[in-house]
Amino acid sequence: MPWCLALALAFALCLLPAAAEVPSQPYTWKNVKIGGGGFIPGIVFSPVEKGLVYLRSDMGGAYRWDQTLGAWIPLHDQLRESSYFGTESVAPDPVDPNVVYLAAGMSRRDPAAMMRSRDRGQTWDVFPVSFTMGGNENGRGVGERLAVDPNQTNILYFASRHDGLQRSTDHAETWNQVDAFPLKGIPVPPGGGFGAGFGGGFGGGPDAGAGLSFVLFDAATGAPGSPTPVIYVGSTDPGDAHLFRSRDSGKTWDAIAGEPDKKLLPCHAALDSQSNLYVSYCNGVGPSGITDGAVWKLNTKTDEWTDITPDRSSDRPPGGYGGITVDRQRPGTIAVSTLDRFQTSDTVWRSTDGGATWKDLVGHSEREARETPFLYWGETTPKLGWWMAALAIDPFDSDHACYATGATIYATHDVGRLDSDEVTHWKPWVIGIEQTAVLALASPPSGPHLISAFGDIGGFTHDDLAVSPPIQDDPIFTNTNLIDFAGQNPSVVVRAGTPHTRNSPTLAYSEDAGHTWQPLVTPPQPPDPNAAAAAPPGAGPGRFGFGRGRPGVGFAVSADGQTLIVTPRVAMRTRDRGQSWKEATGLPAGVRPVADRVNPRKFYALDFSQSAIYASQDDGESFTRVDSSGLPETAPDTPRNREAMWPLQATLDHEGDLWYVSRTAGLFHSGDGGATFHKLEAAPTMIALAFGQAPPGHSYPALFCLGTLNDVKAVWRSDDIGETWLRINDDQHQWGTRFRSIAADPRIFGRVYIGTDGRGIFYGTPSGEEALAR
């Protein structure tokens, strides 16, 4: 078997249902509604069917707009491969509306594939490729990289990051580098993983290359049945030329002379019916780190360039230009978004005369976001946007336009009002989209059924799972990393995270089950004789780095909600909501406790370095080491990530009942406060564990976990204290196995909440029991 076919077969197998037979129970799964929430780098309208639209996210897969349902349909939920949720590019077939292609791959260290659907994304043919992608790396907002020849649709081109220009002649099944193309790609740096090289991480900057940026066919230069002669390709790699053209269907290529300064990189392009090519430029590939940019127009018949940059004032804010689009119904009407204007706000400029004059949405637009109120961020008006790489005008409706930000998509049906200087009206276009990273979940025994902690958009208290709630405020966090409630007094809730505004508190508490909040002033730390163990960045009176600190930084709230212990380095204890603090003695530095869920005087902690349990029976005032047995070596399970679910957990409604989740040694249970542990031999290898309502006729909670059993990574439930386990998600609900957090409902048997990395929160209930769940 040729090596390429063997590679394709090996990767294709990862998408098939697992071969191992495992016990299972059917579940019904639904999203908890937030609405949007993450970065959408690309939106593409079908050129052949009105109302058919696709969008791609950087870590949550792709979606299709369903005009009949009035909602976005997720297209990746049945996939097991996590990397394919980083969508590098999307290309609807320009002739057949049922066909769509995706380029999928999270980062250069992960598997990559071309995906083809002949039924609008309901099912996929997956063709693994040898070249790398970066759907969640630098430059993920450029494009579109993938394009279908409108005159001969078996031909596709892909503008890759590190492997030059790629071409397929068999509807994306096989790919080969275009040898005639002058740029062969800059190889992945040795050891280059996620975000490595070219500026690193999510940044931009002048040297932040992302390879080739877009492919455009000029359909008017050809005829159906033959390859389109004229093709344009952009490049962000260093060099004297950044825009290339072929006039002979890709056989030969030439750089187009007369571009802007070579330090400016072409990120997006659009071709209109009057032979004008519009190109947006940035001095980096973004979506951040950009300080300058421009917009240029090329008359493709004369090769004459014109600078049509909307804002050339000397005092313009730093930033470049991102999405660019043309109005197919009105020649000469174009729009372009700014990119990375963090000093003010990004915006959209629109021109009706080919870029000679422009109008700015600022001052000519209103945004209303009541259905997704987190977008207000505590203000009276939602921000116009940031990270605005995606912009599109509906090819069938000149008044319908949309743009995406780092948190949502806004759409309007009256953009033409700009012609008469009237106000345009924009609303989030996000029904069905849940594109967020969920860092922690809690389901109290009373009050709201769910309280959540998110990356980038703070956290929420969910009184109705079908309604997007307001963001938790006073203070607002950017990331909420930790959340917990008092076991016997669940109206007391505590959360910690990264402040939304500089020098704001990093800890807050609620006494009404998470509906209103008060900031909590955290203690200054005692002097540290060991500089290497100093408090994390941001430490000091009133705040310390819950958002940036070591994994051991955390808190524990007693079962009655009266005592709070925080552990920036030295554990500190308060019983008056932070008015005064005392050191909790006997607990090693950096060791984080958990509270007994029943007895308010008891706390427990695990020192991973010593494999030792510590306990307090005096309300956290002092801790002593427990002479315990049965606990495995715990050093390998030391949390490396502040957002990881904590390995030591206390069971609801059972005093002294502890569980230790070891990723290396298995699952361990103690019923005597940590004195003895025994291993559950049949348990999955777990990421996280949660406790739900006891099964009918039982008194001990049902256990739920995220983990792997019989080589199947899935969501599991045990009704017999961990002796046997049922798989409760199925092959249509795998979400790339991008599991991030879990909580189970102590009031509804069988209900579980799953936090994903890219697809928001799902809640599941045994099928046939939805009425009970409501």
Side-chain angles (χ1 to χ4, degrees):
M1 179 184 294
W3 74 268
C4 58
L5 292 180
L7 177 65
L9 178 60
F11 277 112
L13 288 175
C14 76
L15 299 173
L16 297 176
E21 291 292 331
V22 295
S24 63
Q25 179 177 1
Y27 258 59
T28 298
W29 295 95
K30 297 179 181 179
N31 265 123
V32 174
K33 185 175 181 179
I34 299 297
F39 182 35
I40 302 297
I43 304 170
V44 182
F45 282 79
S46 167
V48 292
E49 182 176 308
K50 185 176 182 179
L52 179 58
V53 195
Y54 292 91
L55 64 80
R56 58 184 174 92
S57 72
D58 59 357
M59 60 154 184
Y63 291 78
R64 171 178 51 83
W65 176 251
D66 189 300
Q67 188 84 343
T68 302
L69 294 177
W72 293 95
I73 307 301
L75 304 180
H76 278 55
D77 287 358
Q78 72 274 32
L79 302 182
R80 275 201 294 140
E81 174 53 62
S82 171
S83 176
Y84 296 167
F85 277 66
T87 314
E88 186 85 295
S89 191
V90 58
D93 189 290
V95 176
D96 186 344
N98 293 314
V99 177
V100 63
Y101 298 87
L102 296 177
M106 191 71 68
S107 78
R108 63 197 72 179
R109 71 183 180 189
D110 294 320
M114 291 293 177
M115 299 170 56
R116 179 187 67 206
S117 176
R118 300 187 188 277
D119 54 14
R120 306 180 183 224
Q122 294 183 61
T123 61
W124 294 97
D125 299 316
V126 179
F127 309 110
V129 295
S130 58
F131 46 87
T132 64
M133 299 188 194
N136 199 20
E137 287 193 354
N138 294 341
R140 57 198 184 275
V142 306
E144 288 293 318
R145 296 175 180 270
L146 184 63
V148 184
D149 189 325
N151 288 306
Q152 190 167 331
T153 58
N154 62 297
I155 297 173
L156 291 88
Y157 281 81
F158 179 67
S160 80
R161 290 173 174 265
H162 302 288
D163 296 274
L165 183 63
Q166 300 284 330
R167 177 171 53 201
S168 172
T169 59
D170 55 9
H171 299 280
E173 293 189 24
T174 61
W175 292 82
N176 294 285
Q177 191 174 75
V178 179
D179 292 333
F181 191 76
L183 302 182
K184 306 305 179 186
I186 298 175
V188 176
F194 178 78
F198 304 118
F202 299 98
D207 62 345
L212 306 183
S213 52
F214 58 77
V215 177
L216 272 178
F217 290 92
D218 189 347
T221 63
S226 299
T228 299
V230 176
I231 312 168
Y232 297 93
V233 174
S235 170
T236 69
D237 281 339
D240 293 328
H242 295 292
L243 187 62
F244 299 85
R245 176 175 55 200
S246 174
R247 298 180 186 271
D248 54 11
S249 304
K251 296 181 180 67
T252 61
W253 297 82
D254 296 300
I256 300 177
E259 280 189 277
D261 187 323
K262 67 180 181 181
K263 293 181 181 178
L264 293 179
L265 310 175
C267 293
H268 285 261
L271 187 65
D272 73 5
S273 60
Q274 298 177 315
S275 301
N276 293 307
L277 181 70
Y278 299 93
V279 186
S280 64
Y281 287 87
C282 295
N283 67 341
V285 296
S288 59
I290 298 169
T291 58
D292 199 9
V295 183
W296 285 66
K297 176 172 70 174
L298 174 70
N299 183 318
T300 62
K301 293 187 179 297
T302 64
D303 278 0
E304 178 184 359
W305 284 97
T306 306
D307 184 355
I308 59 169
T309 305
D311 186 358
R312 283 177 274 181
S313 60
S314 59
D315 61 347
R316 66 185 183 276
Y321 291 88
I324 195 164
T325 184
V326 300
D327 187 337
R328 298 294 175 191
Q329 303 296 316
R330 300 174 60 181
T333 296
I334 59 175
V336 65
S337 63
T338 63
L339 186 60
D340 203 25
R341 285 191 171 186
F342 268 108
Q343 284 190 3
T344 53
S345 173
D346 275 318
T347 187
V348 173
W349 294 84
R350 181 174 174 271
S351 172
T352 58
D353 52 16
T357 60
W358 296 87
K359 288 184 180 178
D360 185 356
L361 277 191
V362 173
H364 294 88
S365 62
E366 294 178 350
R367 285 157 304 286
E368 183 269 295
R370 285 175 292 181
E371 290 190 4
T372 53
F374 76 91
L375 291 171
Y376 288 93
W377 290 95
E379 305 294 333
T380 57
T381 303
K383 194 173 183 179
L384 198 150
W386 66 99
W387 277 18
M388 285 165 53
L391 172 69
I393 298 173
D394 189 331
F396 298 94
D397 182 354
S398 296
D399 272 335
H400 182 207
C402 60
Y403 67 86
T405 78
T408 196
I409 306 161
Y410 280 111
T412 184
H413 287 275
D414 61 9
V415 72
R417 292 167 66 96
L418 285 173
D419 296 344
S420 54
D421 289 331
E422 295 181 78
V423 171
T424 60
H425 302 89
W426 301 76
K427 290 184 178 182
W429 190 21
V430 293
I431 294 174
I433 298 175
E434 298 295 337
Q435 200 253 321
T436 49
V438 187
L439 308 185
L441 297 169
S443 183
S446 63
H449 280 264
L450 182 66
I451 305 175
S452 60
F454 282 76
D456 297 333
I457 59 170
F460 304 92
T461 300
H462 304 265
D463 291 303
D464 186 334
L465 303 181
V467 175
S468 181
I471 197 169
Q472 294 165 343
D473 59 8
D474 199 20
I476 292 175
F477 294 153
T478 300
N479 283 17
T480 301
N481 296 316
L482 305 170
I483 192 160
D484 202 3
F485 57 86
Q488 298 299 306
N489 184 14
S491 60
V492 176
V493 186
V494 182
R495 59 185 170 96
T498 306
H500 179 57
T501 56
R502 191 177 181 84
N503 295 323
S504 294
T506 59
L507 191 66
Y509 70 93
S510 171
E511 295 182 324
D512 59 5
H515 293 100
T516 62
W517 296 87
Q518 296 291 326
L520 199 148
V521 177
T522 53
Q525 286 285 274
D528 183 9
N530 183 357
R543 65 189 301 271
F544 55 79
F546 275 112
R548 294 175 290 173
R550 298 181 304 271
V553 172
F555 65 81
V557 56
S558 63
D560 61 2
Q562 297 302 306
T563 300
L564 180 69
I565 301 176
V566 297
T567 55
R569 175 177 52 83
V570 175
M572 304 293 289
R573 169 180 173 271
T574 182
R575 285 185 57 81
D576 54 15
R577 301 292 189 256
Q579 299 302 308
S580 61
W581 293 88
K582 293 182 179 180
E583 183 177 341
T585 63
L587 198 61
V591 174
R592 174 174 151 187
V594 298
D596 191 284
R597 292 297 199 175
V598 176
N599 190 330
R601 296 189 56 82
K602 290 185 177 181
F603 290 84
Y604 314 95
L606 174 58
D607 184 342
F608 292 93
S609 65
Q610 301 181 63
S611 301
I613 295 289
Y614 286 78
S616 171
Q617 298 192 42
D618 57 6
D619 203 26
E621 188 172 339
S622 63
F623 284 79
T624 58
R625 182 167 176 167
V626 176
D627 184 14
S628 60
S629 63
L631 197 64
E633 173 66 32
T634 60
D637 294 313
T638 303
R640 309 295 179 188
N641 184 338
R642 66 177 179 268
E643 297 161 0
M645 293 196 74
W646 205 245
L648 184 68
Q649 296 191 50
T651 314
L652 291 173
D653 295 330
H654 285 69
E655 182 176 347
D657 206 72
L658 301 175
W659 291 83
Y660 174 58
V661 177
S662 170
R663 297 193 182 203
T664 59
L667 180 65
F668 296 81
H669 179 217
S670 172
D672 53 13
T676 58
F677 284 87
H678 77 273
K679 182 177 180 179
L680 280 297
E681 298 292 347
T685 301
M686 294 186 185
I687 302 168
L689 180 70
F691 310 98
Q693 188 186 67
H698 294 73
S699 61
Y700 199 88
L703 304 181
F704 295 81
C705 80
L706 308 173
T708 302
L709 183 63
N710 295 338
D711 296 323
V712 179
K713 186 177 182 182
V715 186
W716 305 87
R717 190 187 86 216
S718 174
D719 296 339
D720 53 11
I721 319 181
E723 294 298 328
T724 61
W725 295 82
L726 295 168
R727 182 189 180 191
I728 59 173
N729 70 316
D730 55 53
D731 291 334
Q732 294 304 308
H733 300 90
Q734 302 198 85
W735 315 301
T737 62
R738 296 178 60 78
F739 305 133
R740 194 72 179 260
S741 53
I742 186 171
D745 200 307
R747 287 172 275 177
I748 301 174
F749 172 66
R751 182 187 280 186
V752 64
Y753 306 92
I754 306 298
T756 70
D757 196 13
R759 278 289 285 121
I761 306 171
F762 284 90
Y763 68 100
T765 306
S767 296
E769 300 181 25
E770 292 88 349
L772 174 63
R774 288 193 294 269

